[in-house]
Amino acid sequence: MHVIRRRGWEIPEHLATPEHLFLNRRALLAATGAAALSLSPKIALAQRISDLPDPTKDLYPASRNEKYTLDRPITDEKINTSYNNFYEFGSSKSVAKAAQALKLRPWTIKIDGMVEAWSMAIPWSGFPFAKLVELAKPLSSAKYVRMETFLDPSLAPGQKQTWYPWPYVEGLTIAEATNELAFLVTGAYGKPVSKVQGAPLRLAVPWKYGFKSIKSIVRFNFTDQRPKSYWEALQAAEYGFWANVNPQVPHPRWSQATEEVIGRNERRPTLIFNGYGEYVADLYRGLEKERLWA
């Protein structure tokens, strides 16, 4: 007898995005308005795109994946969308109002570097980063993927602060990006991800405690050079590439051994790899002498 054993985070195949939607690029492009339109001037193009129906309307409300189990309740949406970092719109955590200036349509994503040349838009609520890597077909010499957010100081007041290294940049190894838990997010709380949460496309790396979760991504660059992240460029003495995968290694100015559960007035021990060591610990073997703090 052939027995299928699902890992703790897996979902049944019938809940996954249908394969024909993934493979049918033309249908996806047409649905998102990303297919080339030979219109002039630019105003006409923008008008045509804005007139297209919302390609995500049938994806929501998204149901919760019951295969995942958490050791705490889901954080209330009002807390998550009002207590949030989005440095392009300000250095405080109260940037929800300012983030509404973000323009989501049209939104262009560039995939370049050590890959085959093509691009497409995928109107899903979320999908594994590994699927984007598969589509990009990076060369074997590409060891990292470097990501950039948008750069437009006219709508993002935080980007007018010249002492920050704009645009916001993050990076992962190809092995991290293709891990089964690395996820590109387009939805949250059963509906499209909000602007302040990083619409229309952000990264989630659940074993890194919120670090590496770059928002509003416009570029994926595959490279053989280790990227220098926004925080490493800002303060290399405190921030390294690996982004505190080990909470027992303290940040130079504070401990990472415990964490505050926002909205619950509670502190608890920080688990190594955020509790996902079973799935990701092998990624970091042999790196004990590397800089593993925040």
Side-chain angles (χ1 to χ4, degrees):
M1 178 187 298
H2 180 61
V3 178
I4 299 176
R5 292 185 175 87
R6 296 191 184 279
R7 284 157 287 191
W9 55 267
E10 289 187 297
I11 63 174
E13 290 187 6
H14 74 275
L15 295 179
T17 301
E19 184 178 12
H20 74 277
L21 293 179
F22 174 74
L23 296 176
N24 190 343
R25 296 179 180 179
R26 290 189 178 182
L28 287 169
L29 290 170
T32 58
L37 298 176
S38 56
L39 296 174
S40 182
K42 290 183 179 179
I43 295 177
L45 175 59
Q47 182 63 41
R48 285 287 299 276
I49 292 176
S50 65
D51 288 344
L52 290 172
D54 181 358
T56 68
K57 66 180 181 64
D58 294 328
L59 299 178
Y60 303 98
S63 59
R64 181 176 177 180
N65 180 1
E66 299 298 337
K67 288 292 182 179
Y68 288 94
T69 58
L70 298 175
D71 60 355
R72 66 197 72 184
I74 295 291
T75 300
D76 187 87
E77 182 180 5
K78 291 181 179 178
I79 295 175
N80 184 252
T81 54
S82 61
Y83 187 82
N84 199 329
N85 286 331
F86 202 156
Y87 290 95
E88 285 77 2
F89 292 100
S91 58
S92 77
K93 288 182 170 60
S94 302
V95 295
K97 184 177 180 179
Q100 300 313 304
L102 186 61
K103 299 176 181 178
L104 304 184
R105 300 186 73 189
W107 189 272
T108 301
I109 296 172
K110 182 177 182 179
I111 301 175
D112 65 359
M114 305 172 80
V115 297
E116 296 182 8
W118 63 270
S119 64
M120 66 181 298
I122 305 171
W124 294 334
S125 59
F127 54 97
F129 202 151
K131 290 297 184 182
L132 184 141
V133 176
E134 179 184 338
L135 284 166
K137 297 180 174 63
L139 304 181
S140 60
S141 51
K143 305 301 181 186
Y144 304 91
V145 56
R146 178 184 182 273
M147 292 155 280
E148 282 184 20
T149 191
F150 70 96
L151 182 61
D152 188 349
S154 69
L155 64 85
Q159 292 182 336
K160 295 177 182 177
Q161 308 301 319
T162 57
W163 56 83
Y164 287 112
W166 305 114
Y168 196 103
V169 169
E170 255 311 342
L172 295 174
T173 65
I174 298 294
E176 289 175 316
T178 54
N179 181 273
E180 295 161 308
L181 294 178
F183 197 69
L184 289 169
V185 177
T186 59
Y189 293 95
K191 55 190 176 185
V193 65
S194 68
K195 292 181 179 181
V196 73
Q197 291 172 306
L201 186 70
R202 67 166 291 166
L203 175 65
V205 189
W207 67 94
K208 292 202 173 184
Y209 316 97
F211 283 89
K212 296 287 183 179
S213 298
I214 183 171
K215 299 178 176 71
S216 303
I217 305 170
V218 299
R219 184 180 182 186
F220 296 89
N221 178 266
F222 291 82
T223 176
D224 57 359
Q225 302 297 310
R226 180 185 289 185
K228 180 177 287 188
S229 74
Y230 174 90
W231 291 107
E232 187 177 4
L234 184 65
Q235 183 55 278
E238 295 188 358
Y239 298 93
F241 176 80
W242 298 108
N244 81 330
V245 295
N246 186 352
Q248 299 307 312
V249 178
H251 184 281
R253 291 183 284 121
W254 57 76
S255 170
Q256 300 183 147
T258 64
E259 60 188 40
E260 179 183 357
V261 182
I262 300 298
R264 295 184 58 82
N265 193 29
E266 175 187 348
R267 293 197 72 87
R268 61 174 63 194
T270 304
L271 300 176
I272 190 166
F273 303 117
N274 212 19
Y276 292 101
E278 176 184 356
Y279 307 109
V280 301
D282 286 345
L283 295 172
Y284 306 101
R285 297 199 190 283
L287 298 177
E288 290 77 12
K289 294 183 180 180
E290 288 264 9
R291 299 174 56 214
L292 301 180
W293 61 84

